[in-house]
């Protein structure tokens, strides 16, 4: 998700490096826009860990070589952003079930024996951020753990939000970012309608999800033709396309003639601009959430996988907000 940003290169603080410094980083092409170094280095500093997180500009044709290099250079692991997530899934020794299901890796763990485990923490980041905003997917079991997260985050932010349960989601887009979101929602028990300009891609995403979750409730629809009908049914609407990254210069990932309701939650994966889509939802009184928290929580999960320590989520959140507003 790290690509849904229009921000110029953020400042990166350089820790004191020693022979014992542990290495992690993010592979992307380009990678200069990534906010992850600022977020992770702030977390290492806050916990006094002798670790560093570096941007790694890797052209697609050199990805396999770069992945072999992780092992050779003694990296603990790495993240991946556009365009490497699908290709990386082909280069791992083992995949977690979610990474295998969606064919996408955003987190690599180099195990002590040198083997590579690929995971995808994007769906976790998305669901955790929803919970942090009081939005619960599916049934009671999810809700209990959700309420604990919500209390923690509400305390952190000093602004509790009322809880809401969503069971019917409408996801706009069927590209790479949609895979993690649709899978996470379906696995949590939501009914998911995918609306995409190319309906065949939405149908392909449904097949991918059903192959791993045969009882999932997912369906494919044309964008924008099906929006009126689908929006009337949805309690959660998610934009996974990058439309809105360039503000009003982009087409809306929506049909402005289709109204939002006050009881709907509207989420945009784009995280450092308030998109026209979110502004439209907000003006209609819907609960409008940007993707910054998803970026924080997917990063927090990677941090925990590498370090084995609880991530300082509030430090990571503050670091991101400070580079976004710089
Ligand atoms: P990402 O990896 O960020 O999801 P992507 O794979 O290029 O990026 O997917 C972009 C998504 O935005 C796709 O669902 C795409 O629709 P198509 O499958 O029809 O290409 C959608 N998208 C991009 N531009 C669009 C536009 N002008 N109108 C509607 N949908 C658009």
């Amino acid at each position: 998700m790290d690509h849904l940003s229009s921000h110029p290169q953020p400042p990166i603080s350089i820790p004191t490096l020693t022979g014992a410094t542990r290495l992690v980083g993010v592979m992307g092409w380009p990678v200069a826009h990534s906010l992850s170094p600022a977020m992770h280095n702030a977390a290492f500093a806050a916990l006094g860990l002798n670790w560093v997180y570096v941007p790694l500009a890797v052209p697609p044709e050199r990805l396999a070589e770069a992945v072999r290099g992780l092992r050779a250079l003694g990296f603990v692991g790495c993240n991946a952003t556009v365009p490497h997530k699908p290709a990386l899934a082909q280069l791992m020794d083992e995949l977690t079930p979610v990474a295998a299901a969606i064919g996408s890796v955003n987190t690599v763990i180099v195990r002590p024996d040198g083997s590579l485990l690929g995971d995808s923490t994007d769906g976790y980041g998305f669901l955790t951020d929803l919970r942090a905003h009081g939005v619960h997917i599916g049934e009671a079991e999810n809700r209990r753990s959700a309420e604990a997260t919500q209390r923690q985050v509400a305390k952190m932010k000093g602004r509790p939000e009322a809880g809401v349960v969503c069971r019917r989601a409408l996801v706009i887009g069927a590209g790479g970012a949609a895979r993690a979101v649709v899978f996470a929602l379906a696995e949590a028990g939501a009914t998911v309608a995918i609306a995409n300009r190319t309906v065949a891609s939405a149908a392909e995403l449904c097949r991918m999800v059903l192959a791993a979750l045969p009882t999932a409730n997912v369906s494919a629809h044309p964008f924008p033709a099906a929006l009126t009908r689908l929006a009337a049914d949805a309690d959660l609407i998610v934009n996974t396309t990058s439309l809105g990254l360039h503000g009003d210069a982009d087409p809306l990932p929506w049909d402005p003639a289709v109204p939002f309701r006050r009881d709907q939650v509207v989420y945009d994966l784009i995280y450092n601009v308030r998109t026209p889509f979110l502004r439209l939802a907000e003006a209609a009184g819907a609960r409008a959430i940007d993707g910054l928290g998803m970026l924080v929580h997917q990063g927090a999960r990677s941090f925990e996988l590498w370090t084995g320590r609880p991530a300082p989520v509030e430090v990571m959140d503050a670091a991101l907000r400070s580079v976004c507003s710089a």
Side-chain angles (χ1 to χ4, degrees):
M1 303 314 102
D2 204 14
H3 60 296
L4 296 179
S5 151
S6 64
H7 202 270
Q9 185 168 2
I12 296 169
S13 56
I14 310 289
T16 306
L17 305 179
T18 70
T21 303
R22 315 289 320 264
L23 300 171
V24 284
V26 54
M27 293 187 186
W29 188 255
V31 80
H33 66 285
S34 176
L35 305 183
S36 291
M39 173 169 72
H40 283 278
N41 287 321
F44 295 143
L47 297 190
L49 295 178
N50 186 7
W51 289 57
V52 67
Y53 186 109
V54 291
L56 300 163
V58 178
E61 66 277 12
R62 305 197 72 174
L63 184 65
E65 205 182 331
V67 167
R68 283 197 300 278
L70 284 178
R71 239 186 300 237
L73 292 167
F75 271 61
V76 177
C78 77
N79 281 139
T81 185
V82 169
H84 296 321
K85 294 182 190 185
L88 213 44
Q90 308 298 318
L91 296 168
M92 299 291 103
D93 296 304
E94 193 184 335
L95 296 172
T96 61
V98 60
I102 65 173
S104 172
V105 165
N106 82 330
T107 306
V108 177
I109 298 121
V110 184
R111 293 188 287 208
D113 66 358
S115 66
L116 302 176
L117 173 66
D119 195 5
S120 173
T121 68
D122 289 329
Y124 166 91
F126 173 66
L127 289 186
T128 306
D129 188 44
L130 279 178
R131 288 172 189 165
H133 284 88
V135 181
H136 314 279
I137 304 299
E139 305 306 329
E141 197 186 330
N142 290 332
R143 186 168 179 155
R144 272 192 297 279
S145 68
E147 281 168 355
T149 314
Q150 188 196 348
R151 274 196 300 279
Q152 188 194 346
V153 174
K155 198 170 129 208
M156 189 175 100
K157 294 187 173 166
R159 53 172 176 82
E161 290 171 279
V164 55
V165 177
C166 294
R167 294 194 175 84
R168 304 184 68 85
L170 165 57
V171 173
I172 313 298
R179 289 189 198 180
V181 165
V182 170
F183 186 84
L185 288 170
E187 195 178 33
T191 298
V192 188
I194 308 164
N196 197 46
R197 181 177 59 180
T198 310
V199 75
S201 307
E204 180 52 37
L205 178 49
C206 288
R207 279 192 289 278
M208 180 181 269
V209 172
L210 285 167
L213 302 171
T215 60
N217 207 328
V218 287
S219 55
H221 308 267
F223 170 93
L227 286 182
T228 306
R229 179 172 53 83
L230 298 174
D233 266 356
D235 37 33
L236 170 66
I237 301 171
V238 188
N239 173 40
T240 68
T241 76
S242 51
L243 299 175
L245 199 50
H246 310 106
D248 293 317
D250 283 344
L252 268 178
W254 195 249
D255 173 354
V258 177
F260 294 106
R261 295 192 314 269
R262 294 183 60 81
D263 64 334
Q264 283 172 325
V265 176
V266 179
Y267 197 104
D268 198 327
L269 263 54
I270 295 171
Y271 49 76
N272 62 351
V273 284
R274 201 70 181 165
T275 60
F277 171 70
L278 271 196
R279 282 192 263 118
L280 196 65
E282 206 164 29
R287 192 185 302 206
I289 309 171
D290 66 45
L292 192 92
M294 175 176 175
L295 183 63
V296 171
H297 290 290
Q298 63 76 34
R301 180 83 187 122
S302 300
F303 182 99
E304 290 174 358
L305 289 168
W306 295 323
T307 64
R309 308 263 299 248
V313 174
E314 55 297 355
V315 169
M316 297 171 86
D317 183 277
L320 271 189
R321 283 178 202 283
S322 99
V323 289
C324 282
S325 62

